[in-house]
Amino acid sequence: MASQEEEQAQPFTDIFDEDEAERSFLLSKPTCFIVFGKPGSGKKTLARKVAQRWNCIFIEASEVIQMNIQQGTEYGLKCQELLCQGQSIPEELVTEMILQKIESPEVAHFGYVLTGFPSLSEEYMTVPQQIQKIMNLNLKPDILINIKCPDYELCQRISGQRLNPVSGEIYQRSQWDPQLMGKHKKEKDQDEEEDEEEDEEQDEEEEDDDDEETGKGPQKKLDSFQQLVQRPEDFLENAEKRLRIYKDIVLPPLEEMLAAQDCRYLIEVDGSQEPDRVFEAKKSNMKAYVASDKNDTCNYCCFNNQDELFRALSSYKMIAPRYRWRRSRWGQMCPVALKEGNIVMGDPEFAVSFLGKMFILSSQEALDKFGLNPRPYLLPPMPVCPCKVFVFGPPLSGRTTICNGIAQNYKGKV
């Protein structure tokens, strides 16, 4: 009975009330993903595509390390020092960088796609501790994606990988092996001939173009693939060893955790297919889990004056026919400056759209803050124009007393 009374006490959200719906969206938790899978199953590739599709922040150990080094953060300087000394980056430092990224303002707004967790290394935390750490985050993962792939196919895929030492790109066997490339090309040509039987003239032109390209294209590819090398971890015996470690250490606690999750938010993927096919196959399924194509992002535009701004934005990227952008309740004032207690008029050069409304920021710094996470600047209590009072008078006239009284009454600062 108590739970029913509590539910009845909570007011219903009117979806037709724009202010209420906007507040509900700003207070909502961003959608977060986590991708599991065996070593070499394509977790990073799939996670990157999901992050691009749903406009999330892609979080992975190597990406986080590279970002900290490029930005010159405290963690990045430590990593750079260790790498210059020929040492490996400790697991504790990597975990701290990942957790710091998850707690960043942009992740609080856009959400994240996490992969590579839990790791095979148990130097800092055991696998059950890593799983518990993930599930106890403030931004818990909403959708869990588990990539499944047979061990034999996975070992063959890993042993067929080659690295370009110049660009750092990794190529699968189907991308550098001439026999497999020719086989795939024949299959593709056959499919195109079957699909385009209706227009014979266009088929003949395309076949001629394909014949001309096959004379030079493969030779160029073969020349570029001669410099590819095989990494030690991609050797067949090393790949089999990593899979055994994964099945012995990571898989039992991971399967126990996945079994306890709601099956509606658990997606199992066939990892034996190509990464692009895997993503396209599961994209429609994930739409059932995510209510929309992700958070409304900020669209940036640059204009010279206010009239041109409102005239252009009113018809730019309309949400629906006859639905145009509108002024926000902040008007031409900068919401970031108002949140900080200052009245600053926005510059049309830093105009941005969010939730179908126009916000005009005052500087590039304010624009960057608003772009990372606009929610703190738009949530109640709404920032109002600060009232600044100047009290002056002759000495010993009671200026301090009046100032303290006004500040106490209106919750101001002397």
Side-chain angles (χ1 to χ4, degrees):
M1 293 293 295
S3 61
Q4 293 180 357
E5 291 177 358
E6 290 178 358
E7 290 180 358
Q8 292 177 359
Q10 294 178 355
F12 291 101
T13 302
D14 184 4
I15 60 174
F16 298 103
D17 187 338
E18 183 179 0
D19 293 337
E20 208 171 324
E22 182 177 320
R23 183 175 181 273
S24 177
F25 169 78
L26 294 173
L27 291 173
S28 64
K29 174 184 175 296
T31 306
C32 302
F33 302 80
I34 185 169
V35 182
F36 302 104
K38 299 176 182 177
S41 59
K43 302 186 296 293
K44 188 174 179 179
T45 303
L46 181 61
R48 193 187 298 275
K49 290 181 177 293
V50 171
Q52 292 175 352
R53 175 64 179 83
W54 271 272
N55 197 28
C56 297
I57 306 298
F58 174 63
I59 301 179
E60 192 264 340
S62 60
E63 293 285 332
V64 172
I65 293 172
Q66 186 177 2
M67 181 199 67
N68 278 271
I69 292 176
Q70 291 177 351
Q71 295 180 356
T73 62
E74 183 180 354
Y75 289 127
L77 295 176
K78 289 182 181 179
C79 294
Q80 194 169 10
E81 183 180 356
L82 292 171
L83 294 174
C84 292
Q85 294 175 359
Q87 302 178 14
S88 61
I89 301 174
E91 196 72 24
E92 180 179 2
L93 185 59
V94 176
T95 305
E96 290 178 0
M97 287 188 289
I98 291 176
L99 295 178
Q100 183 191 47
K101 184 65 177 176
I102 292 176
E103 296 173 356
S104 61
E106 60 267 26
V107 171
H109 175 58
F110 293 101
Y112 63 82
V113 182
L114 176 64
T115 186
F117 225 71
S119 64
L120 295 177
S121 174
E122 291 187 319
E123 297 177 0
Y124 176 53
M125 288 189 297
T126 62
V127 172
Q129 289 175 344
Q130 295 181 54
I131 294 176
Q132 186 178 6
K133 191 75 174 177
I134 295 171
M135 305 313 295
N136 291 337
L137 292 172
N138 292 329
L139 290 177
K140 297 181 181 179
D142 302 293
I143 299 177
L144 289 73
I145 304 174
N146 186 25
I147 303 177
K148 291 188 173 181
C149 185
D151 293 348
Y152 175 77
E153 293 184 10
L154 200 54
C155 290
Q156 294 299 318
R157 181 193 302 177
I158 296 174
S159 61
Q161 291 181 157
R162 296 294 183 270
L163 172 69
N164 188 333
V166 179
S167 62
E169 296 182 7
I170 298 177
Y171 296 88
Q172 301 294 331
R173 186 184 295 275
S174 59
Q175 296 176 303
W176 62 266
D177 192 338
Q179 296 180 356
L180 292 178
M181 291 170 62
K183 181 180 178 181
H184 288 312
K185 190 178 186 312
K186 288 182 181 179
E187 294 177 356
K188 185 178 179 180
D189 292 342
Q190 290 177 359
D191 294 339
E192 289 179 355
E193 289 177 0
E194 292 176 359
D195 296 338
E196 298 178 357
E197 289 179 352
E198 298 179 357
D199 196 350
E200 297 180 356
E201 295 180 357
Q202 291 184 0
D203 286 343
E204 292 177 359
E205 294 177 358
E206 291 176 2
E207 288 175 0
D208 293 337
D209 295 340
D210 291 342
D211 293 336
E212 293 177 0
E213 291 177 3
T214 53
K216 298 181 181 180
Q219 184 64 33
K220 291 183 179 180
K221 291 182 179 180
L222 289 174
D223 294 339
S224 61
F225 288 150
Q226 287 179 356
Q227 58 183 349
L228 298 182
V229 296
Q230 188 177 20
R231 300 176 297 178
E233 59 265 28
D234 293 338
F235 293 158
L236 183 59
E237 57 272 15
N238 293 336
E240 293 175 348
K241 182 180 179 181
R242 288 164 60 198
L243 287 177
R244 284 196 300 269
I245 295 174
Y246 180 86
K247 294 173 70 175
D248 294 340
I249 298 178
V250 179
L251 197 56
L254 182 61
E255 288 183 340
E256 183 179 351
M257 185 269 291
L258 294 177
Q261 299 299 315
D262 190 343
C263 60
R264 294 176 298 173
Y265 306 105
L266 174 62
I267 303 176
E268 293 188 344
V269 178
D270 182 11
S272 59
Q273 308 177 47
E274 292 292 332
D276 292 337
R277 294 182 180 180
V278 170
F279 176 71
E280 292 297 332
K282 293 302 174 185
K283 186 169 66 174
S284 58
N285 292 342
M286 282 188 282
K287 284 184 179 179
Y289 299 94
V290 184
S292 63
D293 285 345
K294 201 60 195 80
N295 299 329
D296 191 359
T297 56
C298 298
N299 300 313
Y300 300 93
C301 309
C302 295
F303 300 94
N304 295 327
N305 53 58
Q306 297 286 355
D307 295 337
E308 184 182 355
L309 168 71
F310 293 118
R311 183 171 59 253
L313 291 185
S314 61
S315 60
Y316 174 74
K317 279 193 176 180
M318 289 188 294
I319 301 174
R322 298 183 180 180
Y323 183 94
R324 298 190 173 190
W325 289 15
R326 294 165 296 158
R327 298 171 184 259
S328 67
R329 66 185 66 189
W330 285 262
Q332 299 180 12
M333 288 181 290
C334 176
V336 176
L338 284 177
K339 192 73 174 182
E340 297 172 354
N342 299 316
I343 302 177
V344 181
M345 302 304 293
D347 189 341
E349 183 181 354
F350 306 109
V352 63
S353 72
F354 182 64
L355 296 176
K357 297 177 182 177
M358 292 177 285
F359 299 90
I360 308 174
L361 288 309
S362 57
S363 63
Q364 184 63 46
E365 182 181 359
L367 182 64
D368 294 338
K369 291 181 179 179
F370 193 86
L372 286 178
N373 188 358
R375 301 185 188 214
Y377 308 104
L378 307 182
L379 281 171
M382 293 297 182
V384 296
C385 296
C387 180
K388 299 181 180 182
V389 180
F390 175 54
V391 179
F392 60 96
L396 303 176
S397 62
R399 291 173 300 177
T400 305
T401 304
I402 294 177
C403 286
N404 292 332
I406 294 175
Q408 184 178 2
N409 188 22
Y410 294 100
K411 297 180 181 180
K413 185 183 296 185
V414 179

